[in-house]
Amino acid sequence: MDLSERQQRMLQFIRQFMRENRYPPTIREIGQAVGISSTSVVNYNLNILEQKGLIDRDRAISRGIKLAESLVEQVVSIPLLGRIAAGSPLPIPDSSSDFGIFGDETIELTRGIIKDTDGIYALQVKGNSMIDALIHDGDIVVMKHQQHAENGDLVAVWLRDEKETTLKRFYLEGDRVRLQPANPTMEPLYFPANNVEIQGKVVCVIRQLN
């Protein structure tokens, strides 16, 4: 794409702004974002983006910029099913509660993050046993539903006898499973293999910033 650095920054800002706000920025907002004080200079560069087929413009309105269809990031909704322990395993209650199902809540991600949504769901993390895996209390983990795992996979597991759920690294060691935290202050958990049911594998983490 034959664009100047300034034009690339403008296009990147427009895409980010529209992704976050669901409407386009004004010329002044674009100028402020890329360090251009002159609206005529912004307008000149927007005309170039339009000529190259990257945006469409309606000059009759202040927010009249529209990204070309090929640049629009498709947003998908992922169900947020509940909370999962990254610490001591959490019991799953029979009815909805603070650590139960969130109802109709969803999170939105772009196709650039999640290309295949089949079997994809999200959980909110409770606890800090996975901090060395860059997963902290309050973060969202996006899961791929599956019932098998390789050693070292970061998975959500259901402990059948304990009726508890937890998020740990999975290791099958003979007839037992080691659930390994990623926190040097915490010891691994050991369970009979037939007591551990894998519910999904972590595919990405969404950091909750304070």
Side-chain angles (χ1 to χ4, degrees):
M1 189 183 299
D2 187 20
L3 297 176
S4 69
E5 180 182 350
R6 172 178 285 176
Q7 291 155 7
Q8 291 177 30
R9 287 165 54 208
M10 289 173 63
L11 187 61
Q12 181 181 7
F13 171 73
I14 293 168
R15 292 179 67 178
Q16 180 179 347
F17 187 97
M18 294 182 69
R19 182 170 61 244
E20 294 175 354
N21 298 282
R22 301 300 183 87
Y23 56 82
T26 65
I27 288 178
R28 290 190 182 279
E29 287 169 338
I30 296 170
Q32 290 172 357
V34 299
I36 303 174
S37 58
S38 170
T39 56
S40 62
V41 174
V42 176
N43 190 61
Y44 168 80
N45 286 280
L46 289 176
N47 287 340
I48 293 176
L49 295 178
E50 185 178 23
Q51 291 167 11
K52 292 180 178 295
L54 299 171
I55 63 172
D56 293 316
R57 299 183 66 190
D58 182 350
R59 290 168 175 78
I61 58 178
S62 64
R63 297 185 185 273
I65 298 172
K66 181 180 179 182
L67 283 172
E69 192 67 30
S70 61
L71 297 179
V72 176
E73 292 184 286
Q74 185 179 358
V75 175
V76 294
S77 293
I78 306 298
L80 181 61
L81 296 186
R83 291 186 175 92
I84 189 167
S88 300
L90 283 175
I92 297 297
D94 293 331
S95 60
S96 178
S97 74
D98 187 43
F99 299 112
I101 301 304
F102 284 11
D104 297 328
E105 283 196 47
T106 61
I107 61 171
E108 292 188 339
L109 301 173
T110 66
R111 286 285 185 185
I113 298 175
I114 299 294
K115 293 180 173 59
D116 180 10
T117 59
D118 185 34
I120 297 294
Y121 61 96
L123 297 167
Q124 187 176 45
V125 174
K126 175 70 175 178
N128 284 307
S129 74
M130 303 307 294
I131 56 174
D132 282 358
L134 302 181
I135 300 175
H136 295 77
D137 184 60
D139 288 351
I140 302 291
V141 286
V142 179
M143 311 292 299
K144 171 74 172 178
H145 176 67
Q146 60 186 56
Q147 295 179 305
H148 65 279
E150 302 293 333
N151 281 351
D153 282 350
L154 185 52
V155 296
V157 299
W158 170 254
L159 304 174
R160 293 188 180 100
D161 293 345
E162 292 79 4
K163 292 184 170 54
E164 294 173 343
T165 185
T166 191
L167 182 74
K168 296 289 185 293
R169 290 205 181 276
F170 171 90
Y171 295 92
L172 180 62
E173 301 176 342
D175 59 356
R176 73 175 185 178
V177 166
R178 169 165 55 95
L179 299 178
Q180 183 68 46
N183 185 324
T185 68
M186 297 183 178
E187 298 295 325
L189 305 174
Y190 295 94
F191 299 93
N194 60 9
N195 188 39
V196 177
E197 178 181 322
I198 296 168
Q199 295 188 320
K201 177 181 175 180
V202 174
V203 295
C204 75
V205 180
I206 303 171
R207 174 61 39 79
Q208 298 297 290
L209 299 176
N210 295 325

